[in-house]
C-alpha cells in the first residue's frame, strides 16, 4: 500500500474507535432523555477525535467528522425507531442525509493526500496562536463544529420519533433543497478535483469553469442549502422553532468565517487574478 492508502486505513480505524466510544457513552446514559444521550455520545466522539488529532499532530483528523456524524445519527434513528417500518418521507429524509454524508466523505477521502496534509486554516491557527493552539484546536476546530452540526440535525429527531408529517409541502421542499444542495457540492468538488490536476499549472490560476463560473463558493452554497433543507424537513414534522437555529448558525459560520478566511487566503496567494474574479463572479449565489 502507498502512503495515502495507509493513512486512509488509519483514519478508518480511528473512526471505528470513535464510533465505539460514542456507542458506549450512549448506552451509559440510558436514563437520560434521547437528545442528551445523543449529545453526550457526540461530545465523547469529539473528544476521542481530538485526542487522535493531538497524537497525529494533525487537526485534519477531524475533517471527516463533519460528514460522517449525520450518517451515524441516521443509523441510530433506524435502530431506535423501527427503521423497517419507516414511511416514505422518513426514508426520503434518510436517503438525502446519507447521500450528502457519503458523497462528502468520499470527496474528502479523494482529496486528502495523507498525514502530511493539514487544512490551511488549522496551519494558520498553529502559526497565529503558537503555545495557545491546543485550546483553539479543541474549542474552535473540534467542539464548535460538533455543536453546530448537532444543533442542525436536532430537528430530525421529530421526523423519526413522532413520525407524524404535518406540513407535507414543506417537507418535500426541504428534501428537494437538501438534495439540490448536495448536487451543487458534487459538481463543485468534481470541477475542483479536475482543476487541481490541470497541466501547466500557474500560481495565479483561478478555477472558473462549470458552476465556479457562476459562484465563487458553490460548495459552500450547496452546504448551506443542505442544512436549511434539513431544518425544513424537521419543521414539517413539528420540530420546535428553535431547532432551526442550528441551520441559521451554520449559515453564519459559512458567511462570516469560512468564506472570509478562504477569500483572505486567495487574496494572499493570487491577488491580481482573484481581485478580477471577485469583480466578475458572485460571492455565493449563482446570479
Amino acid at each position: 500500500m502507498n502512503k495515502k492508502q495507509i493513512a486512509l486505513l488509519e483514519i478508518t480505524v480511528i473512526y471505528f474507535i470513535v464510533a465505539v466510544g460514542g456507542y458506549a457513552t450512549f448506552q451509559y446514559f440510558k436514563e437520560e432523555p434521547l437528545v442528551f444521550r445523543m449529545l453526550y455520545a457526540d461530545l465523547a466522539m469529539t473528544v476521542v477525535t481530538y485526542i487522535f488529532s493531538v497524537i497525529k499532530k494533525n487537526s485534519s483528523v477531524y475533517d471527516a467528522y463533519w460528514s460522517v456524524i449525520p450518517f451515524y445519527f441516521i443509523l441510530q434513528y433506524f435502530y431506535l425507531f423501527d427503521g423497517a417500518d419507516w414511511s416514505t418521507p422518513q426514508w426520503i429524509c434518510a436517503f438525502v442525509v446519507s447521500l450528502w454524508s457519503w458523497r462528502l466523505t468520499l470527496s474528502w477521502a479523494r482529496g486528502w493526500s495523507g498525514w502530511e496534509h493539514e487544512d490551511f486554516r488549522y496551519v494558520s491557527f498553529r502559526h497565529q496562536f503558537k503555545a495557545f493552539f491546543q485550546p483553539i484546536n479543541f474549542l474552535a476546530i473540534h467542539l464548535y463544529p460538533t455543536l453546530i452540526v448537532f444543533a442542525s440535525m436536532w430537528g430530525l429527531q421529530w421526523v423519526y420519533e413522532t413520525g407524524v408529517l404535518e406540513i407535507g409541502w414543506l417537507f418535500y421542499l426541504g428534501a428537494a433543497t437538501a438534495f439540490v444542495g448536495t448536487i451543487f457540492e458534487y459538481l463543485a468538488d468534481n470541477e475542483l478535483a479536475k482543476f487541481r490536476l490541470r497541466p501547466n499549472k500557474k500560481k495565479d490560476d483561478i478555477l472558473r469553469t462549470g458552476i465556479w463560473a457562476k459562484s465563487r463558493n458553490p460548495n459552500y452554497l450547496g452546504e448551506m442549502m443542505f442544512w436549511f433543507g434539513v431544518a425544513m424537513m424537521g419543521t414539517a414534522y413539528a420540530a420546535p422553532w428553535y431547532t432551526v437555529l442550528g441551520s441559521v448558525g451554520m449559515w453564519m459560520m459559512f458567511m462570516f468565517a469560512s468564506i472570509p478566511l478562504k477569500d483572505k487566503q486567495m487574496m494572499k496567494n493570487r491577488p491580481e487574478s482573484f481581485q478580477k474574479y471577485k469583480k466578475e463572479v458572485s460571492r455565493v449565489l449563482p446570479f
Side-chain angles (χ1 to χ4, degrees):
M1 291 192 295
N2 59 36
K3 286 185 178 181
K4 178 174 178 175
Q5 290 171 331
I6 293 172
L8 286 173
L9 177 60
E10 288 180 331
I11 204 78
T12 300
V13 172
I14 287 171
Y15 273 84
F16 176 77
I17 296 170
V18 167
V20 170
Y23 180 76
T25 304
F26 184 83
Q27 293 301 321
Y28 181 80
F29 290 101
K30 284 185 177 181
E31 303 305 318
E32 296 286 339
L34 177 60
V35 64
F36 290 114
R37 294 179 71 192
M38 298 282 280
L39 177 59
Y40 297 155
D42 205 358
L43 292 174
M45 289 188 287
T46 301
V47 170
V48 175
T49 307
Y50 168 73
I51 291 171
F52 276 106
S53 79
V54 174
I55 292 171
K56 300 300 291 186
K57 298 179 181 179
N58 190 324
S59 294
S60 281
V61 169
Y62 185 84
D63 286 351
Y65 194 92
W66 179 277
S67 57
V68 168
I69 289 303
F71 182 68
Y72 283 4
F73 273 54
I74 294 298
L75 291 178
Q76 190 73 323
Y77 289 143
F78 183 88
Y79 171 74
L80 291 172
F81 302 122
D82 301 318
D85 296 324
W86 280 354
S87 65
T88 297
Q90 288 172 316
W91 275 112
I92 289 173
C93 180
F95 169 76
V96 171
V97 173
S98 300
L99 176 67
W100 171 87
S101 176
W102 278 99
R103 190 219 65 80
L104 189 55
T105 303
L106 290 173
S107 178
W108 167 82
R110 177 177 63 177
W112 188 56
S113 58
W115 294 117
E116 70 275 7
H117 170 79
E118 187 175 30
D119 189 290
F120 76 90
R121 292 166 296 183
Y122 311 158
V123 174
S124 176
F125 287 158
R126 284 183 187 275
H127 293 155
Q128 181 180 353
F129 295 104
K130 295 182 172 58
F132 299 98
F133 170 70
Q134 286 307 329
I136 299 298
N137 186 18
F138 180 70
L139 295 173
I141 297 175
H142 290 75
L143 183 60
Y144 177 76
T146 289
L147 293 177
I148 200 71
V149 169
F150 183 88
S152 299
M153 288 287 294
W154 189 10
L156 296 192
Q157 182 176 327
W158 279 261
V159 174
Y160 295 105
E161 186 170 22
T162 67
V164 179
L165 178 58
E166 295 195 356
I167 313 175
W169 67 266
L170 181 61
F171 173 84
Y172 290 107
L173 178 61
T177 300
F179 180 76
V180 171
T182 302
I183 297 302
F184 273 16
E185 290 187 88
Y186 169 77
L187 295 173
D189 286 348
N190 277 356
E191 288 287 345
L192 182 58
K194 291 178 184 177
F195 177 74
R196 286 172 173 166
L197 296 175
R198 68 193 183 281
N200 306 316
K201 295 181 181 179
K202 297 178 182 178
K203 186 177 180 180
D204 60 348
D205 287 345
I206 293 283
L207 174 55
R208 297 193 60 165
T209 58
I211 197 170
W212 293 87
K214 301 295 184 181
S215 169
R216 301 202 310 271
N217 296 282
N219 49 345
Y220 289 148
L221 170 62
E223 192 77 5
M224 289 184 280
M225 290 178 65
F226 171 78
W227 290 112
F228 276 121
V230 167
M232 285 188 276
M233 287 189 285
T235 302
Y237 273 83
W241 66 268
Y242 48 80
T243 60
V244 176
L245 296 178
S247 296
V248 174
M250 195 74 74
W251 173 82
M252 293 177 65
M253 182 180 70
F254 284 118
M255 294 299 293
F256 300 109
S258 297
I259 292 176
L261 278 172
K262 178 187 169 185
D263 285 354
K264 182 179 179 180
Q265 182 76 2
M266 292 287 286
M267 185 61 73
K268 176 183 176 182
N269 294 334
R270 305 169 179 85
E272 293 184 11
S273 55
F274 184 64
Q275 192 68 258
K276 184 174 184 293
Y277 186 41
K278 283 180 66 176
K279 291 180 181 178
E280 298 175 352
V281 178
S282 170
R283 186 179 191 227
V284 177
L285 297 176
F287 48 80

